[in-house]
Amino acid sequence: MGVDRPSLADDGLGKGAPGGQKGPNDRGASMRIATFNINGIKARAEALCAWLDEAAPDVALLQEIKSVDENFPRELFEDRGYNVETHGQKSFNGVAILSKLPLEDVSRGLPGDDEDEQARWIEATVTGDNHSVRICGLYLPNGNPVPGPKYDYKLAWMERMRRHAAGLLETEMPVVMAGDYNIIPQDEDAAKPEAWTEDALALPQSRDAFRRILNLGYTEAIRARTAAPGLFSFWDYQAGAWQRNNGIRIDHLLLSPQAADLMTEAGIDKDVRGRDKPSDHVPVWIDLAA
DNA sequence: ATGCCAAGAAAGTCTTGA
C-alpha cells in the first residue's frame, strides 16, 4: 500500500507518471488491482510468481486456475505475503483472489442459478487506507460455438451478472468487477475485427449484453483513459498470433462510479506474453486511491 | 474458416479454449 512499485506496462497508455509516482487523485493511498487469466495454475506457477514479484499488485484476480481448491498451491502466494481465496473445480474454469490485505466477506459463485456448477465468480471486500472496495473476479463463458447451448449459457450468465452488478451498485461501495470477460467490446479491440464478426466474443448480442452491464453505471477502466486502438490482452498460441500482434482485448475491469472516481492509473502488462511459458492472456490492472 | 498451440485428465486421444 502506498509504496512505489515498478510498472511493467509498455502499453502504459501514454499517461500518468512512471515509476509509481503519485497521481493527481492520490492522497497517499494506492491499491493496485490486477486481473490475469493464467491458463492453469500448475503450468503457470513459475511465470505467475515472476510477474507477482515484479508487478507487486496488492490484489490479483486469477482466472482459469484449472484446479480444485485442495490442489491450489496457496503456499507459493502466502510465502509472498498474499492472502488466498479460491473457487476451483476439476480441469476447467476456476477463479482465485490473492490479496496483501485481508479478504473479508468472501462469496463464491455468481448468484441467480443454483444449478450452475461452473466455478466462474468470486468476490471479497478489501479495505485500504481510506476505502473498502468490493472486488469481484470473474471468468465469463466463452460461448462458442454459435448458435448452441454454450452461447445460450453465455447470454444467460451475462444477464445474471447484470442483475448482480445492479445489486452491487445499491451498496454505494466502490465496486471493481474484473476478469476475463470473453468480450471484444468494439472493433478497435481486435487486430483483425473481420475475423470475429460471427464469434461469440464479438457478436452484436454479446456486445449488447456487455453494454447493458456498463449502462448500469459502470466504467471500463482502459477505455476511460484512452481511445487508442491496438491495445490487446490475449494473443492465441496458434498461427504466430503473438509474433504478428494478432491480439484481442477481452480482459476488463469495470468500476462502479465510486470506484471510477478513485482510479489513478490503468495499464496492460503486455510484455508478459513474450516470456517463457506464458499464458495466452496478460495482466490488466488499475491503481485506486483507496 | 479450422484446430496450426496449449492444458488437463489420463493413458487413447479426447475436451476445451477464443
mmCIF file of all heavy atoms in Angstrom, chain A residues 44 64 91 139 142 150 180 182 201 234 237-238 248 277, chain B residues 1-10 15-18:
data_model
loop_
_atom_site.group_PDB
_atom_site.id
_atom_site.type_symbol
_atom_site.label_atom_id
_atom_site.label_comp_id
_atom_site.label_asym_id
_atom_site.label_seq_id
_atom_site.Cartn_x
_atom_site.Cartn_y
_atom_site.Cartn_z
ATOM 1 N N ARG A 44 1.455 -22.586 -14.778
ATOM 2 C CA ARG A 44 1.828 -21.170 -14.778
ATOM 3 C C ARG A 44 2.462 -20.709 -13.478
ATOM 4 O O ARG A 44 2.755 -19.523 -13.309
ATOM 5 C CB ARG A 44 0.582 -20.303 -15.030
ATOM 6 C CG ARG A 44 0.851 -19.010 -15.791
ATOM 7 C CD ARG A 44 1.324 -19.243 -17.186
ATOM 8 N NE ARG A 44 0.345 -20.032 -17.914
ATOM 9 C CZ ARG A 44 0.654 -20.958 -18.796
ATOM 10 N NH1 ARG A 44 1.916 -21.221 -19.079
ATOM 11 N NH2 ARG A 44 -0.281 -21.661 -19.403
ATOM 12 N N GLU A 64 -9.148 -19.181 -14.745
ATOM 13 C CA GLU A 64 -8.710 -20.459 -15.311
ATOM 14 C C GLU A 64 -7.578 -21.076 -14.496
ATOM 15 O O GLU A 64 -6.535 -21.440 -15.039
ATOM 16 C CB GLU A 64 -8.318 -20.327 -16.794
ATOM 17 C CG GLU A 64 -9.517 -20.177 -17.713
ATOM 18 C CD GLU A 64 -9.249 -20.678 -19.129
ATOM 19 O OE1 GLU A 64 -9.479 -21.883 -19.370
ATOM 20 O OE2 GLU A 64 -8.814 -19.874 -19.984
ATOM 21 N N SER A 91 -10.221 -29.621 -13.614
ATOM 22 C CA SER A 91 -9.891 -29.500 -15.046
ATOM 23 C C SER A 91 -10.086 -28.128 -15.685
ATOM 24 O O SER A 91 -9.251 -27.692 -16.459
ATOM 25 C CB SER A 91 -10.688 -30.495 -15.893
ATOM 26 O OG SER A 91 -10.474 -31.791 -15.449
ATOM 27 N N TYR A 139 -14.813 -15.113 -14.577
ATOM 28 C CA TYR A 139 -14.413 -15.771 -15.822
ATOM 29 C C TYR A 139 -15.679 -16.027 -16.616
ATOM 30 O O TYR A 139 -16.391 -16.997 -16.409
ATOM 31 C CB TYR A 139 -13.668 -17.072 -15.514
ATOM 32 C CG TYR A 139 -13.281 -17.877 -16.745
ATOM 33 C CD1 TYR A 139 -12.730 -17.265 -17.857
ATOM 34 C CD2 TYR A 139 -13.465 -19.251 -16.773
ATOM 35 C CE1 TYR A 139 -12.379 -18.004 -18.972
ATOM 36 C CE2 TYR A 139 -13.105 -20.007 -17.884
ATOM 37 C CZ TYR A 139 -12.572 -19.378 -18.981
ATOM 38 O OH TYR A 139 -12.226 -20.114 -20.095
ATOM 39 N N ASN A 142 -17.058 -18.479 -22.600
ATOM 40 C CA ASN A 142 -16.629 -18.207 -23.979
ATOM 41 C C ASN A 142 -17.838 -18.124 -24.917
ATOM 42 O O ASN A 142 -17.988 -17.182 -25.687
ATOM 43 C CB ASN A 142 -15.655 -19.315 -24.402
ATOM 44 C CG ASN A 142 -15.251 -19.239 -25.844
ATOM 45 O OD1 ASN A 142 -16.113 -19.230 -26.727
ATOM 46 N ND2 ASN A 142 -13.966 -19.169 -26.110
ATOM 47 N N LYS A 150 -23.878 -23.580 -25.502
ATOM 48 C CA LYS A 150 -22.826 -22.795 -24.852
ATOM 49 C C LYS A 150 -23.066 -21.293 -25.010
ATOM 50 O O LYS A 150 -22.759 -20.513 -24.102
ATOM 51 C CB LYS A 150 -21.449 -23.191 -25.411
ATOM 52 C CG LYS A 150 -21.036 -24.605 -25.004
ATOM 53 C CD LYS A 150 -19.615 -24.912 -25.380
ATOM 54 C CE LYS A 150 -19.233 -26.304 -24.871
ATOM 55 N NZ LYS A 150 -17.828 -26.628 -25.175
ATOM 56 N N ASP A 180 -11.679 -12.141 -17.053
ATOM 57 C CA ASP A 180 -11.741 -12.499 -18.475
ATOM 58 C C ASP A 180 -13.210 -12.467 -18.870
ATOM 59 O O ASP A 180 -13.965 -13.374 -18.536
ATOM 60 C CB ASP A 180 -11.128 -13.887 -18.670
ATOM 61 C CG ASP A 180 -11.210 -14.352 -20.117
ATOM 62 O OD1 ASP A 180 -11.799 -13.640 -20.958
ATOM 63 O OD2 ASP A 180 -10.696 -15.453 -20.403
ATOM 64 N N ASN A 182 -14.342 -12.464 -21.963
ATOM 65 C CA ASN A 182 -14.589 -13.103 -23.258
ATOM 66 C C ASN A 182 -15.495 -12.245 -24.141
ATOM 67 O O ASN A 182 -16.380 -12.754 -24.844
ATOM 68 C CB ASN A 182 -15.155 -14.515 -23.067
ATOM 69 C CG ASN A 182 -14.059 -15.567 -22.948
ATOM 70 O OD1 ASN A 182 -13.118 -15.573 -23.736
ATOM 71 N ND2 ASN A 182 -14.171 -16.447 -21.967
ATOM 72 N N LEU A 201 -17.462 -13.945 -29.058
ATOM 73 C CA LEU A 201 -16.772 -12.872 -28.345
ATOM 74 C C LEU A 201 -17.142 -11.489 -28.874
ATOM 75 O O LEU A 201 -16.882 -10.488 -28.204
ATOM 76 C CB LEU A 201 -15.252 -13.059 -28.431
ATOM 77 C CG LEU A 201 -14.644 -14.039 -27.426
ATOM 78 C CD1 LEU A 201 -15.165 -15.448 -27.593
ATOM 79 C CD2 LEU A 201 -13.135 -14.015 -27.482
ATOM 80 N N PHE A 234 -4.974 -10.571 -25.058
ATOM 81 C CA PHE A 234 -4.921 -12.002 -25.419
ATOM 82 C C PHE A 234 -4.343 -12.146 -26.820
ATOM 83 O O PHE A 234 -4.732 -11.417 -27.748
ATOM 84 C CB PHE A 234 -6.333 -12.605 -25.377
ATOM 85 C CG PHE A 234 -6.415 -13.999 -25.958
ATOM 86 C CD1 PHE A 234 -6.260 -15.125 -25.159
ATOM 87 C CD2 PHE A 234 -6.640 -14.188 -27.319
ATOM 88 C CE1 PHE A 234 -6.326 -16.396 -25.709
ATOM 89 C CE2 PHE A 234 -6.700 -15.461 -27.866
ATOM 90 C CZ PHE A 234 -6.535 -16.570 -27.059
ATOM 91 N N TYR A 237 -2.177 -18.906 -28.939
ATOM 92 C CA TYR A 237 -0.923 -19.650 -29.083
ATOM 93 C C TYR A 237 -0.663 -20.042 -30.539
ATOM 94 O O TYR A 237 0.470 -20.324 -30.909
ATOM 95 C CB TYR A 237 -0.972 -20.935 -28.249
ATOM 96 C CG TYR A 237 -0.922 -20.740 -26.751
ATOM 97 C CD1 TYR A 237 -1.965 -21.176 -25.947
ATOM 98 C CD2 TYR A 237 0.179 -20.161 -26.138
ATOM 99 C CE1 TYR A 237 -1.926 -21.049 -24.566
ATOM 100 C CE2 TYR A 237 0.234 -20.023 -24.751
ATOM 101 C CZ TYR A 237 -0.827 -20.465 -23.975
ATOM 102 O OH TYR A 237 -0.771 -20.337 -22.614
ATOM 103 N N GLN A 238 -1.729 -20.083 -31.344
ATOM 104 C CA GLN A 238 -1.619 -20.633 -32.692
ATOM 105 C C GLN A 238 -1.267 -19.569 -33.726
ATOM 106 O O GLN A 238 -1.535 -18.385 -33.549
ATOM 107 C CB GLN A 238 -2.953 -21.274 -33.100
ATOM 108 C CG GLN A 238 -3.412 -22.384 -32.183
ATOM 109 C CD GLN A 238 -4.710 -22.987 -32.646
ATOM 110 O OE1 GLN A 238 -4.737 -23.715 -33.625
ATOM 111 N NE2 GLN A 238 -5.784 -22.681 -31.962
ATOM 112 N N ILE A 248 -6.472 -9.612 -29.246
ATOM 113 C CA ILE A 248 -7.796 -9.076 -28.930
ATOM 114 C C ILE A 248 -7.779 -8.589 -27.479
ATOM 115 O O ILE A 248 -6.974 -9.052 -26.669
ATOM 116 C CB ILE A 248 -8.926 -10.110 -29.124
ATOM 117 C CG1 ILE A 248 -8.621 -11.417 -28.368
ATOM 118 C CG2 ILE A 248 -9.152 -10.387 -30.609
ATOM 119 C CD1 ILE A 248 -9.722 -12.463 -28.461
ATOM 120 N N LYS A 277 7.124 -19.797 -21.217
ATOM 121 C CA LYS A 277 5.916 -20.491 -20.767
ATOM 122 C C LYS A 277 4.794 -19.519 -20.413
ATOM 123 O O LYS A 277 4.233 -19.553 -19.312
ATOM 124 C CB LYS A 277 6.239 -21.375 -19.554
ATOM 125 C CG LYS A 277 7.132 -22.572 -19.868
ATOM 126 C CD LYS A 277 6.346 -23.753 -20.411
ATOM 127 C CE LYS A 277 5.492 -24.394 -19.322
ATOM 128 N NZ LYS A 277 4.686 -25.515 -19.880
ATOM 129 P P DA B 1 -15.352 -17.675 -39.214
ATOM 130 O OP1 DA B 1 -15.509 -17.588 -37.857
ATOM 131 O OP2 DA B 1 -14.754 -16.707 -40.064
ATOM 132 O "O5'" DA B 1 -14.998 -19.171 -39.625
ATOM 133 C "C5'" DA B 1 -15.764 -19.747 -40.674
ATOM 134 C "C4'" DA B 1 -14.898 -20.780 -41.356
ATOM 135 O "O4'" DA B 1 -13.721 -20.131 -41.879
ATOM 136 C "C3'" DA B 1 -14.410 -21.889 -40.409
ATOM 137 O "O3'" DA B 1 -15.128 -23.076 -40.669
ATOM 138 C "C2'" DA B 1 -12.942 -22.068 -40.718
ATOM 139 C "C1'" DA B 1 -12.594 -20.955 -41.697
ATOM 140 N N9 DA B 1 -11.506 -20.140 -41.147
ATOM 141 C C8 DA B 1 -11.564 -18.897 -40.598
ATOM 142 N N7 DA B 1 -10.413 -18.437 -40.185
ATOM 143 C C5 DA B 1 -9.532 -19.462 -40.489
ATOM 144 C C6 DA B 1 -8.149 -19.610 -40.309
ATOM 145 N N6 DA B 1 -7.382 -18.670 -39.770
ATOM 146 N N1 DA B 1 -7.589 -20.774 -40.722
ATOM 147 C C2 DA B 1 -8.368 -21.708 -41.266
ATOM 148 N N3 DA B 1 -9.669 -21.685 -41.494
ATOM 149 C C4 DA B 1 -10.194 -20.528 -41.075
ATOM 150 P P DT B 2 -15.340 -24.138 -39.519
ATOM 151 O OP1 DT B 2 -16.200 -25.203 -40.063
ATOM 152 O OP2 DT B 2 -15.696 -23.416 -38.305
ATOM 153 O "O5'" DT B 2 -13.874 -24.723 -39.334
ATOM 154 C "C5'" DT B 2 -13.279 -25.474 -40.387
ATOM 155 C "C4'" DT B 2 -11.819 -25.709 -40.098
ATOM 156 O "O4'" DT B 2 -11.181 -24.457 -39.758
ATOM 157 C "C3'" DT B 2 -11.551 -26.658 -38.921
ATOM 158 O "O3'" DT B 2 -10.490 -27.532 -39.281
ATOM 159 C "C2'" DT B 2 -11.139 -25.728 -37.787
ATOM 160 C "C1'" DT B 2 -10.447 -24.605 -38.553
ATOM 161 N N1 DT B 2 -10.455 -23.287 -37.857
ATOM 162 C C2 DT B 2 -9.267 -22.648 -37.610
ATOM 163 O O2 DT B 2 -8.205 -23.133 -37.931
ATOM 164 N N3 DT B 2 -9.389 -21.438 -36.972
ATOM 165 C C4 DT B 2 -10.534 -20.799 -36.582
ATOM 166 O O4 DT B 2 -10.493 -19.725 -36.034
ATOM 167 C C5 DT B 2 -11.757 -21.517 -36.877
ATOM 168 C C7 DT B 2 -13.066 -20.922 -36.490
ATOM 169 C C6 DT B 2 -11.659 -22.702 -37.484
ATOM 170 P P DG B 3 -10.226 -28.835 -38.445
ATOM 171 O OP1 DG B 3 -9.686 -29.819 -39.376
ATOM 172 O OP2 DG B 3 -11.448 -29.131 -37.674
ATOM 173 O "O5'" DG B 3 -9.092 -28.406 -37.425
ATOM 174 C "C5'" DG B 3 -7.822 -27.963 -37.913
ATOM 175 C "C4'" DG B 3 -7.031 -27.414 -36.748
ATOM 176 O "O4'" DG B 3 -7.742 -26.305 -36.154
ATOM 177 C "C3'" DG B 3 -6.811 -28.410 -35.603
ATOM 178 O "O3'" DG B 3 -5.549 -28.142 -35.020
ATOM 179 C "C2'" DG B 3 -7.919 -28.079 -34.626
ATOM 180 C "C1'" DG B 3 -7.984 -26.576 -34.780
ATOM 181 N N9 DG B 3 -9.259 -25.978 -34.448
ATOM 182 C C8 DG B 3 -10.502 -26.536 -34.539
ATOM 183 N N7 DG B 3 -11.467 -25.729 -34.180
ATOM 184 C C5 DG B 3 -10.810 -24.558 -33.836
ATOM 185 C C6 DG B 3 -11.311 -23.323 -33.367
ATOM 186 O O6 DG B 3 -12.467 -23.002 -33.170
ATOM 187 N N1 DG B 3 -10.288 -22.413 -33.124
ATOM 188 C C2 DG B 3 -8.963 -22.654 -33.310
ATOM 189 N N2 DG B 3 -8.122 -21.662 -33.021
ATOM 190 N N3 DG B 3 -8.473 -23.805 -33.751
ATOM 191 C C4 DG B 3 -9.452 -24.697 -33.984
ATOM 192 P P DC B 4 -4.273 -28.919 -35.537
ATOM 193 O OP1 DC B 4 -4.630 -29.607 -36.797
ATOM 194 O OP2 DC B 4 -3.782 -29.682 -34.386
ATOM 195 O "O5'" DC B 4 -3.287 -27.726 -35.863
ATOM 196 C "C5'" DC B 4 -1.900 -27.970 -35.806
ATOM 197 C "C4'" DC B 4 -1.177 -26.707 -36.157
ATOM 198 O "O4'" DC B 4 -1.982 -25.906 -37.061
ATOM 199 C "C3'" DC B 4 -0.874 -25.798 -34.957
ATOM 200 O "O3'" DC B 4 0.494 -25.409 -35.030
ATOM 201 C "C2'" DC B 4 -1.749 -24.571 -35.207
ATOM 202 C "C1'" DC B 4 -1.763 -24.551 -36.740
ATOM 203 N N1 DC B 4 -2.858 -23.745 -37.316
ATOM 204 C C2 DC B 4 -2.525 -22.581 -38.015
ATOM 205 O O2 DC B 4 -1.336 -22.255 -38.107
ATOM 206 N N3 DC B 4 -3.507 -21.840 -38.547
ATOM 207 C C4 DC B 4 -4.781 -22.219 -38.407
ATOM 208 N N4 DC B 4 -5.715 -21.453 -38.966
ATOM 209 C C5 DC B 4 -5.131 -23.401 -37.711
ATOM 210 C C6 DC B 4 -4.154 -24.131 -37.180
ATOM 211 P P DC B 5 1.440 -25.950 -33.863
ATOM 212 O OP1 DC B 5 2.765 -25.406 -34.200
ATOM 213 O OP2 DC B 5 1.239 -27.401 -33.662
ATOM 214 O "O5'" DC B 5 0.895 -25.205 -32.575
ATOM 215 C "C5'" DC B 5 1.126 -23.819 -32.421
ATOM 216 C "C4'" DC B 5 0.777 -23.433 -31.000
ATOM 217 O "O4'" DC B 5 -0.650 -23.576 -30.816
ATOM 218 C "C3'" DC B 5 1.437 -24.308 -29.935
ATOM 219 O "O3'" DC B 5 1.906 -23.438 -28.909
ATOM 220 C "C2'" DC B 5 0.317 -25.222 -29.439
ATOM 221 C "C1'" DC B 5 -0.921 -24.364 -29.680
ATOM 222 N N1 DC B 5 -2.155 -25.114 -29.987
ATOM 223 C C2 DC B 5 -3.301 -24.875 -29.222
ATOM 224 O O2 DC B 5 -3.251 -24.054 -28.303
ATOM 225 N N3 DC B 5 -4.435 -25.555 -29.507
ATOM 226 C C4 DC B 5 -4.462 -26.427 -30.521
ATOM 227 N N4 DC B 5 -5.618 -27.055 -30.761
ATOM 228 C C5 DC B 5 -3.308 -26.677 -31.320
ATOM 229 C C6 DC B 5 -2.178 -26.015 -31.016
ATOM 230 P P DA B 6 2.854 -23.995 -27.772
ATOM 231 O OP1 DA B 6 3.686 -22.858 -27.344
ATOM 232 O OP2 DA B 6 3.476 -25.262 -28.193
ATOM 233 O "O5'" DA B 6 1.829 -24.340 -26.597
ATOM 234 C "C5'" DA B 6 1.149 -23.261 -25.981
ATOM 235 C "C4'" DA B 6 0.070 -23.794 -25.076
ATOM 236 O "O4'" DA B 6 -0.930 -24.467 -25.877
ATOM 237 C "C3'" DA B 6 0.513 -24.820 -24.027
ATOM 238 O "O3'" DA B 6 0.429 -24.176 -22.756
ATOM 239 C "C2'" DA B 6 -0.494 -25.981 -24.165
ATOM 240 C "C1'" DA B 6 -1.594 -25.365 -25.015
ATOM 241 N N9 DA B 6 -2.335 -26.283 -25.866
ATOM 242 C C8 DA B 6 -1.860 -27.044 -26.888
ATOM 243 N N7 DA B 6 -2.791 -27.756 -27.492
ATOM 244 C C5 DA B 6 -3.948 -27.433 -26.813
ATOM 245 C C6 DA B 6 -5.289 -27.844 -26.960
ATOM 246 N N6 DA B 6 -5.707 -28.709 -27.888
ATOM 247 N N1 DA B 6 -6.200 -27.320 -26.106
ATOM 248 C C2 DA B 6 -5.779 -26.453 -25.181
ATOM 249 N N3 DA B 6 -4.574 -25.989 -24.948
ATOM 250 C C4 DA B 6 -3.692 -26.520 -25.807
ATOM 251 P P DA B 7 1.022 -24.920 -21.478
ATOM 252 O OP1 DA B 7 1.461 -23.867 -20.558
ATOM 253 O OP2 DA B 7 1.943 -25.989 -21.875
ATOM 254 O "O5'" DA B 7 -0.277 -25.614 -20.869
ATOM 255 C "C5'" DA B 7 -1.317 -24.792 -20.372
ATOM 256 C "C4'" DA B 7 -2.478 -25.668 -19.971
ATOM 257 O "O4'" DA B 7 -3.054 -26.256 -21.152
ATOM 258 C "C3'" DA B 7 -2.091 -26.824 -19.047
ATOM 259 O "O3'" DA B 7 -2.748 -26.635 -17.801
ATOM 260 C "C2'" DA B 7 -2.579 -28.085 -19.767
ATOM 261 C "C1'" DA B 7 -3.534 -27.536 -20.811
ATOM 262 N N9 DA B 7 -3.579 -28.308 -22.044
ATOM 263 C C8 DA B 7 -2.530 -28.673 -22.845
ATOM 264 N N7 DA B 7 -2.889 -29.368 -23.901
ATOM 265 C C5 DA B 7 -4.261 -29.474 -23.774
ATOM 266 C C6 DA B 7 -5.245 -30.090 -24.569
ATOM 267 N N6 DA B 7 -4.973 -30.748 -25.694
ATOM 268 N N1 DA B 7 -6.520 -30.000 -24.157
ATOM 269 C C2 DA B 7 -6.799 -29.337 -23.022
ATOM 270 N N3 DA B 7 -5.969 -28.713 -22.201
ATOM 271 C C4 DA B 7 -4.703 -28.819 -22.639
ATOM 272 P P DG B 8 -2.440 -27.656 -16.607
ATOM 273 O OP1 DG B 8 -2.632 -26.896 -15.356
ATOM 274 O OP2 DG B 8 -1.185 -28.377 -16.871
ATOM 275 O "O5'" DG B 8 -3.636 -28.707 -16.730
ATOM 276 C "C5'" DG B 8 -4.975 -28.227 -16.644
ATOM 277 C "C4'" DG B 8 -5.938 -29.383 -16.809
ATOM 278 O "O4'" DG B 8 -5.927 -29.809 -18.198
ATOM 279 C "C3'" DG B 8 -5.593 -30.614 -15.973
ATOM 280 O "O3'" DG B 8 -6.755 -31.039 -15.289
ATOM 281 C "C2'" DG B 8 -5.111 -31.646 -16.985
ATOM 282 C "C1'" DG B 8 -5.862 -31.219 -18.242
ATOM 283 N N9 DG B 8 -5.220 -31.579 -19.494
ATOM 284 C C8 DG B 8 -3.902 -31.399 -19.836
ATOM 285 N N7 DG B 8 -3.620 -31.814 -21.043
ATOM 286 C C5 DG B 8 -4.832 -32.299 -21.531
ATOM 287 C C6 DG B 8 -5.154 -32.881 -22.786
ATOM 288 O O6 DG B 8 -4.410 -33.085 -23.751
ATOM 289 N N1 DG B 8 -6.498 -33.235 -22.859
ATOM 290 C C2 DG B 8 -7.415 -33.042 -21.855
ATOM 291 N N2 DG B 8 -8.660 -33.445 -22.098
ATOM 292 N N3 DG B 8 -7.128 -32.501 -20.674
ATOM 293 C C4 DG B 8 -5.826 -32.154 -20.591
ATOM 294 P P DA B 9 -6.614 -32.081 -14.118
ATOM 295 O OP1 DA B 9 -7.602 -31.673 -13.103
ATOM 296 O OP2 DA B 9 -5.205 -32.253 -13.763
ATOM 297 O "O5'" DA B 9 -7.113 -33.442 -14.781
ATOM 298 C "C5'" DA B 9 -8.470 -33.530 -15.194
ATOM 299 C "C4'" DA B 9 -8.684 -34.806 -15.957
ATOM 300 O "O4'" DA B 9 -7.977 -34.739 -17.223
ATOM 301 C "C3'" DA B 9 -8.169 -36.073 -15.250
ATOM 302 O "O3'" DA B 9 -9.153 -37.088 -15.362
ATOM 303 C "C2'" DA B 9 -6.904 -36.418 -16.015
ATOM 304 C "C1'" DA B 9 -7.281 -35.957 -17.410
ATOM 305 N N9 DA B 9 -6.142 -35.702 -18.277
ATOM 306 C C8 DA B 9 -4.931 -35.166 -17.951
ATOM 307 N N7 DA B 9 -4.097 -35.062 -18.962
ATOM 308 C C5 DA B 9 -4.825 -35.570 -20.029
ATOM 309 C C6 DA B 9 -4.506 -35.744 -21.388
ATOM 310 N N6 DA B 9 -3.334 -35.415 -21.923
ATOM 311 N N1 DA B 9 -5.465 -36.280 -22.178
ATOM 312 C C2 DA B 9 -6.634 -36.612 -21.645
ATOM 313 N N3 DA B 9 -7.041 -36.495 -20.383
ATOM 314 C C4 DA B 9 -6.077 -35.965 -19.625
ATOM 315 P P DA B 10 -8.908 -38.504 -14.679
ATOM 316 O OP1 DA B 10 -10.243 -39.071 -14.452
ATOM 317 O OP2 DA B 10 -7.952 -38.352 -13.549
ATOM 318 O "O5'" DA B 10 -8.185 -39.361 -15.812
ATOM 319 C "C5'" DA B 10 -8.760 -39.403 -17.119
ATOM 320 C "C4'" DA B 10 -7.779 -40.037 -18.071
ATOM 321 O "O4'" DA B 10 -6.645 -39.168 -18.271
ATOM 322 C "C3'" DA B 10 -7.192 -41.382 -17.589
ATOM 323 O "O3'" DA B 10 -7.172 -42.269 -18.666
ATOM 324 C "C2'" DA B 10 -5.782 -41.012 -17.178
ATOM 325 C "C1'" DA B 10 -5.480 -39.955 -18.230
ATOM 326 N N9 DA B 10 -4.338 -39.100 -17.925
ATOM 327 C C8 DA B 10 -3.958 -38.569 -16.726
ATOM 328 N N7 DA B 10 -2.884 -37.835 -16.767
ATOM 329 C C5 DA B 10 -2.521 -37.882 -18.108
ATOM 330 C C6 DA B 10 -1.444 -37.312 -18.824
ATOM 331 N N6 DA B 10 -0.514 -36.544 -18.249
ATOM 332 N N1 DA B 10 -1.375 -37.548 -20.144
ATOM 333 C C2 DA B 10 -2.316 -38.322 -20.705
ATOM 334 N N3 DA B 10 -3.367 -38.915 -20.140
ATOM 335 C C4 DA B 10 -3.410 -38.657 -18.825
ATOM 336 P P DT B 15 -14.515 -35.358 -27.607
ATOM 337 O OP1 DT B 15 -15.883 -35.860 -27.446
ATOM 338 O OP2 DT B 15 -14.061 -34.775 -28.882
ATOM 339 O "O5'" DT B 15 -14.203 -34.294 -26.464
ATOM 340 C "C5'" DT B 15 -14.426 -34.631 -25.106
ATOM 341 C "C4'" DT B 15 -14.038 -33.447 -24.234
ATOM 342 O "O4'" DT B 15 -12.606 -33.277 -24.261
ATOM 343 C "C3'" DT B 15 -14.642 -32.119 -24.716
ATOM 344 O "O3'" DT B 15 -15.251 -31.469 -23.614
ATOM 345 C "C2'" DT B 15 -13.455 -31.341 -25.253
ATOM 346 C "C1'" DT B 15 -12.292 -31.914 -24.463
ATOM 347 N N1 DT B 15 -10.987 -31.838 -25.167
ATOM 348 C C2 DT B 15 -9.913 -31.260 -24.535
ATOM 349 O O2 DT B 15 -9.987 -30.787 -23.417
ATOM 350 N N3 DT B 15 -8.757 -31.246 -25.269
ATOM 351 C C4 DT B 15 -8.564 -31.746 -26.547
ATOM 352 O O4 DT B 15 -7.479 -31.670 -27.088
ATOM 353 C C5 DT B 15 -9.729 -32.340 -27.146
ATOM 354 C C7 DT B 15 -9.629 -32.908 -28.533
ATOM 355 C C6 DT B 15 -10.874 -32.366 -26.443
ATOM 356 P P DT B 16 -16.225 -30.253 -23.910
ATOM 357 O OP1 DT B 16 -17.174 -30.235 -22.784
ATOM 358 O OP2 DT B 16 -16.691 -30.284 -25.310
ATOM 359 O "O5'" DT B 16 -15.269 -28.999 -23.753
ATOM 360 C "C5'" DT B 16 -14.601 -28.781 -22.508
ATOM 361 C "C4'" DT B 16 -13.555 -27.713 -22.692
ATOM 362 O "O4'" DT B 16 -12.465 -28.245 -23.458
ATOM 363 C "C3'" DT B 16 -14.039 -26.488 -23.469
ATOM 364 O "O3'" DT B 16 -14.274 -25.433 -22.546
ATOM 365 C "C2'" DT B 16 -12.897 -26.172 -24.433
ATOM 366 C "C1'" DT B 16 -11.803 -27.148 -24.017
ATOM 367 N N1 DT B 16 -10.968 -27.644 -25.129
ATOM 368 C C2 DT B 16 -9.603 -27.490 -25.052
ATOM 369 O O2 DT B 16 -9.058 -26.963 -24.106
ATOM 370 N N3 DT B 16 -8.910 -27.978 -26.126
ATOM 371 C C4 DT B 16 -9.434 -28.586 -27.249
ATOM 372 O O4 DT B 16 -8.707 -28.976 -28.148
ATOM 373 C C5 DT B 16 -10.872 -28.716 -27.265
ATOM 374 C C7 DT B 16 -11.549 -29.355 -28.430
ATOM 375 C C6 DT B 16 -11.566 -28.245 -26.214
ATOM 376 P P DG B 17 -14.854 -24.052 -23.048
ATOM 377 O OP1 DG B 17 -15.461 -23.432 -21.866
ATOM 378 O OP2 DG B 17 -15.640 -24.248 -24.275
ATOM 379 O "O5'" DG B 17 -13.544 -23.243 -23.435
ATOM 380 C "C5'" DG B 17 -12.550 -23.028 -22.439
ATOM 381 C "C4'" DG B 17 -11.323 -22.485 -23.103
ATOM 382 O "O4'" DG B 17 -10.765 -23.475 -24.002
ATOM 383 C "C3'" DG B 17 -11.529 -21.221 -23.960
ATOM 384 O "O3'" DG B 17 -10.553 -20.292 -23.626
ATOM 385 C "C2'" DG B 17 -11.329 -21.720 -25.371
ATOM 386 C "C1'" DG B 17 -10.293 -22.791 -25.135
ATOM 387 N N9 DG B 17 -10.090 -23.713 -26.238
ATOM 388 C C8 DG B 17 -11.022 -24.408 -26.931
ATOM 389 N N7 DG B 17 -10.515 -25.149 -27.874
ATOM 390 C C5 DG B 17 -9.157 -24.917 -27.796
ATOM 391 C C6 DG B 17 -8.081 -25.426 -28.556
ATOM 392 O O6 DG B 17 -8.120 -26.220 -29.482
ATOM 393 N N1 DG B 17 -6.859 -24.918 -28.117
ATOM 394 C C2 DG B 17 -6.695 -24.045 -27.087
ATOM 395 N N2 DG B 17 -5.457 -23.653 -26.807
ATOM 396 N N3 DG B 17 -7.691 -23.551 -26.372
ATOM 397 C C4 DG B 17 -8.884 -24.030 -26.781
ATOM 398 P P DA B 18 -11.044 -18.766 -23.202
ATOM 399 O OP1 DA B 18 -10.087 -18.199 -22.233
ATOM 400 O OP2 DA B 18 -12.486 -18.772 -22.859
ATOM 401 O "O5'" DA B 18 -10.894 -18.036 -24.611
ATOM 402 C "C5'" DA B 18 -9.593 -17.702 -25.070
ATOM 403 C "C4'" DA B 18 -9.671 -17.228 -26.506
ATOM 404 O "O4'" DA B 18 -10.012 -18.333 -27.364
ATOM 405 C "C3'" DA B 18 -10.712 -16.143 -26.776
ATOM 406 O "O3'" DA B 18 -10.204 -15.228 -27.732
ATOM 407 C "C2'" DA B 18 -11.873 -16.896 -27.387
ATOM 408 C "C1'" DA B 18 -11.140 -17.972 -28.168
ATOM 409 N N9 DA B 18 -11.900 -19.186 -28.396
ATOM 410 C C8 DA B 18 -12.910 -19.715 -27.642
ATOM 411 N N7 DA B 18 -13.388 -20.846 -28.099
ATOM 412 C C5 DA B 18 -12.622 -21.080 -29.235
ATOM 413 C C6 DA B 18 -12.635 -22.117 -30.173
ATOM 414 N N6 DA B 18 -13.448 -23.153 -30.122
ATOM 415 N N1 DA B 18 -11.757 -22.055 -31.190
ATOM 416 C C2 DA B 18 -10.923 -21.002 -31.245
ATOM 417 N N3 DA B 18 -10.824 -19.970 -30.422
ATOM 418 C C4 DA B 18 -11.714 -20.075 -29.429
#
